[in-house]
Amino acid sequence: MVTTPCGPLCQFIRDPKEIASLYRDLSQFPSLSSVTIGPDVTTQYGGRYSNIYTEWSQRDLDRNEQIRFCRQYIVFHDNNTIVYSGACGNGCEIKGELLSRESPSGALKAVLRETKNEKGENSQFLEVWEKNRKVKSINLTALDKHGKVYEDEQFGCLSWSHSESHLLYIAEKKRPKAESFFQTSTKELGTGASEEEDNAVSKPIKGEQFVLHEDWGEGLVNKSVPALCVLDIESGNISVLEGIPENISPGQAFWSPDDTGVVFVGWWHSPFRLGLKYCPNRRSALFFVDLTGGKCETLSTDTASVFSPRLSPDKCRIVYLKCEEFGPHQQCCQLIMYDWYTKVTSTVVDIVPRSTDEQFAGIYTSLLASFCWSADSQRVVLDTVLRSKQCLFVVDIMSRKVTQLLPKGTPLGSWKLMAIDRDLLVVTFSSPSCPPTLKVGFLPPSEKEEEMTWVSLEEENPILDIEWSFKTHQPPQEQENSKYPGLGFESILLMPRNIPAEQRIPLVVHPHGGPHSAFVSEWMLYPAVMCKMGLAVLLVNYRGSIGFGQDSILSLPKNVGEQDVKDVQLAVEQALREDPLDPEKIVLCGGSHGGFLSLHLIGQYPGYYKACVARNPVTNLPAMFGSTDIPDWCLVESGIPYSYQAAPDAAQWGDMLNKSPIRFVSQVKTPVLLMLGEEDRRVPNKQGLEYYKALRAHDVPARLLWYPGNNHSLSKVDAESDGFMNIALWILKYLKE
């Protein structure tokens, strides 16, 4: 059990004002979004230092928005040891910046900025900064060469050419204007414009204004056809690259080693697009488009999914991640390497069937850090899930050896790589009782990774009255998966500390969504506030979660609604036996597939749970199939292979219904709070509405909260804060009863 210094005895907080105050206090801890390591600087006295530029995001409850701010740090070093480090002043809010990237030399910085004019209309500018002045400001909106620039992690990029003369970015491809069949053009009105002037302006297409333009689904709404765009810094000219296949959506692009072309990931969007966010298992390949001849060639296999390519410092190799097309959305990935000059492709890290030594269980991520190579281009640093924590690893590309970068004595929690440059690593660390903090260190020589030492750039702010621990669970023989036997799973238990010996704590059970994701031992706002209220929280990583090997992931499809439900119940019953928890005060809280499990649990174990909260839950798999951006999910998790031509038969529709929580709604006795996003494309809100009406029909206490402008994540500041207060009060109401 991870503990913190002694404090006052645990108190059970019920007053809404006190709960709101707790939430306000803990919501102020920011999260780190990006890090840039500046060039080495040598002082007149021979000392060396690097500036570290960081960007953070933080909830502002009063302004009802996520604000972004920057803060700089300085690190004095001797190329392998930190001599001194610290912050340079306080943070400063960033206004309007969507993307930013320093040039390779650090002499220039590119910024994509969005502004509003007096009419409230948005315009995008691409700026170039040099030292303390802005040397270029290009109004992209006014130029009208393309649509909005993509700033998301899935497609977006802002890449400097190695010569620092050009900038590469992704934007929505310009679409011809459309108008009604009955709209009269200016030529027809007789304005006197010449034929040449009329032809110079692209004529709107009649009757096309209501044609559907598919986008890439949840979290990528209105992003349909991305285009590769290049800005010539000196002339200010912008060109949209030609030669990209019409059936490919390009993204995650960067310049080839000699600046003669662009390397990018291309996702197939025919015959139609499927939701892409959190779904890296879509058919894609690594491409190269030659700017001199316009030829586009494929650098990788084109029958799987590849993503997150990263060029080595010596510009000789590209590493990228690869997984199978379709199947579970999150899978164990391979790390693949492509040699730019020999054209040889090799596997550096393969899929791991299951974790045996608890030192490495495979790669589970959809995005490598932007800079992840060692200075000698021989090693790659990455973070990935290992059981119920996020860990740092270094991979030797020649020996294929994978080594953990967390030596003995390292604080227990989760670690994420933000950047590495000239072997200076910047990472973020957090735990369920410690908000995110920044650490730096130099990558030790190969074979000496156990000597890794970390230096904090600022003081940590541990929450003194939260303790937490990992719990290991092994299903009994009758619950074993016959195809994948012997699989265990874990959970993370948060407890208020200093519990009196006679006291029993109410328990909030929280299965994660996905289902192929995981809770890791990191800072989480909702569980932390609940724990401060005097509630215990059990975060369950049932079989099917990532971080335990590919076998665990593959064990769940066809068994949803059964294996995962029994795993959660097993974890709860084990926690009740081992910890000071009140068996009469257990509640459920889950979102998406976690909501699916929560509703299954109250249906399959009637009366066991005193209250339930479900955020955008899956309730009816057959009904979801035709309305979600991820129809493949409904089939795959039901054990039915997916293809674009998939058309389930009557028996398969029945199987899907049998795996749905709606099947058990007549047995439910637990009061249910449903929280739905109006703009959810992943689990359409009709799922929750149907279940809500069914509860009402069976006289089960139910309440429904409807959040306009929110998608599947319900992450807008007002929805998130209102949601927590309603969750807390719903739980307290029925614990009291």
Side-chain angles (χ1 to χ4, degrees), residues 517-556:
S517 62
F519 284 121
V520 294
S521 52
E522 63 183 357
W523 174 253
M524 292 165 278
L525 178 59
Y526 275 25
V529 183
M530 288 179 178
C531 204
K532 290 275 286 183
M533 289 169 55
L535 302 169
V537 182
L538 186 68
L539 309 168
V540 186
N541 288 326
Y542 44 86
R543 283 173 291 174
S545 303
I546 60 175
F548 294 81
Q550 185 78 336
D551 285 359
S552 180
I553 292 172
L554 297 178
S555 75
L556 187 54

Side-chain angles (χ1 to χ4, degrees), residues 35-47:
V35 170
T36 300
I37 302 175
D40 266 352
V41 179
T42 302
T43 70
Q44 59 180 327
Y45 304 108

Side-chain angles (χ1 to χ4, degrees), residues 7-22:
L9 292 178
C10 169
Q11 294 182 346
F12 192 27
I13 297 175
R14 291 180 175 274
D15 181 64
K17 288 185 178 180
E18 289 188 59
I19 297 170
S21 179
L22 276 177

Side-chain angles (χ1 to χ4, degrees), residues 321-502:
L321 299 171
K322 175 187 171 187
C323 70
E324 295 300 313
E325 182 189 11
F326 296 144
H329 281 166
Q330 296 280 353
Q331 307 173 25
C332 189
C333 298
Q334 294 175 305
L335 183 68
I336 307 296
M337 182 170 66
Y338 174 78
D339 190 297
W340 185 259
Y341 295 101
T342 66
K343 312 300 181 187
V344 173
T345 299
S346 57
T347 300
V348 180
V349 179
D350 212 340
I351 293 170
V352 177
R354 63 177 69 189
S355 172
T356 54
D357 58 3
E358 298 194 12
Q359 292 300 308
F360 180 68
I363 299 175
Y364 307 89
T365 183
S366 57
L367 207 62
L368 298 170
S370 299
F371 302 97
C372 62
W373 283 90
S374 62
D376 60 4
S377 299
Q378 297 300 303
R379 291 178 290 171
V380 173
V381 182
L382 55 87
D383 58 76
T384 187
V385 180
L386 174 60
R387 302 180 76 84
S388 298
K389 53 186 180 290
Q390 191 93 356
C391 295
L392 294 169
F393 293 92
V394 58
V395 181
D396 189 303
I397 62 170
M398 304 310 294
S399 69
R400 287 14 181 195
K401 183 180 179 181
V402 181
T403 308
Q404 196 167 160
L405 262 185
L406 300 175
K408 290 181 180 179
T410 301
L412 193 58
S414 286
W415 300 72
K416 180 177 177 59
L417 175 67
M418 300 306 298
I420 176 174
D421 190 21
R422 302 178 303 278
D423 287 346
L424 177 61
L425 284 157
V426 182
V427 302
T428 180
F429 165 80
S430 74
S431 78
S433 61
C434 182
T437 188
L438 207 55
K439 297 180 184 291
V440 294
F442 275 96
L443 180 66
S446 184
E447 303 295 332
K448 294 185 178 181
E449 286 87 0
E450 71 279 358
E451 298 177 7
M452 183 78 218
T453 57
W454 297 105
V455 176
S456 294
L457 287 182
E458 53 196 7
E459 290 185 11
E460 296 179 1
N461 293 286
I463 307 303
L464 301 179
D465 40 12
I466 295 177
E467 59 183 15
W468 60 277
S469 62
F470 297 116
K471 301 186 76 66
T472 303
H473 311 286
Q474 194 66 44
Q477 185 64 37
E478 63 272 16
Q479 293 180 22
E480 285 277 22
N481 186 301
S482 58
K483 190 175 180 180
Y484 299 98
L487 294 172
F489 64 99
E490 289 185 350
S491 59
I492 304 171
L493 179 64
L494 282 71
M495 295 277 286
R497 48 182 314 279
N498 291 343
I499 303 168
E502 71 283 357

Side-chain angles (χ1 to χ4, degrees), residues 622 649-659:
D649 57 30
Q652 291 172 328
W653 285 119
D655 288 343
M656 293 166 68
L657 183 60
N658 285 334
K659 297 180 185 301

Side-chain angles (χ1 to χ4, degrees), residues 557-560 621 633-640 655-656 659:
K558 195 177 181 178
N559 297 306
V560 293
L621 286 165
W633 183 91
C634 302
L635 296 190
V636 169
E637 298 304 333
S638 299
I640 305 167
D655 288 343
M656 293 166 68
K659 297 180 185 301

Side-chain angles (χ1 to χ4, degrees), residues 570-597:
L570 175 69
V572 172
E573 293 174 357
Q574 181 177 327
L576 289 175
R577 291 194 302 270
E578 298 174 352
D579 299 280
L581 303 169
D582 190 337
E584 301 299 319
K585 294 184 177 181
I586 310 172
V587 299
L588 283 160
C589 183
S592 194
H593 190 85
F596 169 93
L597 291 178

